[in-house]
Each structure stands twice: as structure tokens, then as C-alpha cells.
Amino acid sequence: MNVLVSACLLGMGCRYDGNAKENPEVLALTQTHSLIPFCPEIYGGLATPREPCEIRDGRVVTQSGLDVTEAFRRGAAEALRLCETLGCGCALLQDRSPSCGCGRIHDGTFTGGLTQGDGLTAALLKENGVRVLPASRAAELAG
Ligand code: SF4
């Protein structure tokens, strides 16, 4: 199965601070699935490194208060386009991110707090029928 994967989980240094978030459980899925790395924030036009961003009152803002919602929407739309083009049966996305977070995201206070909700990419993929799993549930795709 083709699986869209948050690129940072595969070891690519695309996080806001330029680091990766390599995840051994996700990497192990290369044995059974075709993993397609994608970073919606990069494809939305943002640079690396960049300011941390969180969702507040339905908008995505940087820590210094800049509204970057449109870039996040562009990245989400590109993720959906890629899923549709490649027939991805599932997307496996990094937890808590304002793009990739699935079920729980940072709460907009930049204090490490969490709240229920999805990042913009996770939400758009779900709305369009793509199964979205957080990286913490990667084991569900094993076997
Ligand atoms: Fe990783 Fe997603 Fe953040 Fe890109 S937007 S660095 S893929 S969590």
C-alpha cells in the first residue's frame, strides 16, 4: 500500500528547528509498504528553519504572531493532491503538529499544552476520505 508519511518521521530535517523526528516503528514499515515522504509546511512555501507555529482561534500563527494560515492550507492541499495522484490508502502523520497532528495538537499558547483537534493537513485528508493515523499508532500498519 502507498502510505503518505510525514517526512520528518523518515529522518528528514524539515521540522521548524531543522531537525528530524526519525521513528523506528515508521521506518520498519518500509518492509511492507511504499512510504512517500511529504512535509506540508515545506510544500506550503515555508522555510526551514522557521518559527514554531500553533493553531489559535482557527488560524495558524507563528510564535511572534504572524498569520501563516494560507501557507498551511497550501501544504494541506498539496498533500491531498499527492494522496489522490498516488492512490495512498493511508497517511501516517507526526503527532501534535499544526499541520500533521491527528487527534491532539498544541493548544496555541506555545507553552507545550495540548488540546483535541487535527492539524490542517490531517483534517483535509480526513475530510476527503483518506485514513489518517498518528505516528504513535504506526504499529497498526505492520504485518
Ligand atoms: Fe514533520 Fe509535518 Fe512538521 Fe513537516 S509539517 S516537519 S512533515 S510534522
Side-chain angles (χ1 to χ4, degrees):
M1 175 169 65
N2 284 347
V3 180
L4 190 83
V5 178
S6 296
C8 55
L9 294 171
L10 297 175
M12 305 182 84
C14 52
R15 297 184 77 209
Y16 75 93
D17 56 5
N19 291 321
K21 191 74 175 177
E22 195 170 296
N23 181 313
E25 279 190 332
V26 175
L27 283 167
L29 295 174
T30 55
Q31 303 298 317
T32 49
H33 299 292
S34 296
L35 305 186
I36 296 147
F38 186 83
C39 176
E41 293 175 23
I42 299 297
Y43 278 91
L46 298 173
T48 305
R50 55 190 172 276
E51 268 197 271
C53 302
E54 296 193 5
I55 298 174
R56 182 189 298 155
D57 300 328
R59 307 293 295 181
V60 188
V61 293
T62 68
Q63 194 161 14
S64 65
L66 188 68
D67 189 318
V68 288
T69 307
E70 286 312 310
F72 275 65
R73 284 184 180 151
R74 272 197 302 275
E78 292 288 53
L80 177 59
R81 191 181 61 76
L82 196 57
C83 280
E84 290 175 343
T85 301
L86 299 179
C88 294
C90 181
L92 188 57
L93 302 180
Q94 166 65 4
D95 297 76
R96 300 184 295 277
S97 152
S99 288
C100 295
C102 173
R104 267 188 334 156
I105 54 173
H106 288 294
D107 64 4
T109 62
F110 295 92
T111 59
L114 297 173
T115 186
Q116 286 191 332
D118 294 325
L120 270 63
T121 293
L124 186 67
L125 295 182
K126 283 183 181 179
E127 283 165 26
N128 286 275
V130 179
R131 182 185 179 202
V132 178
L133 284 177
S136 52
R137 289 172 57 192
E140 292 180 27
L141 292 180

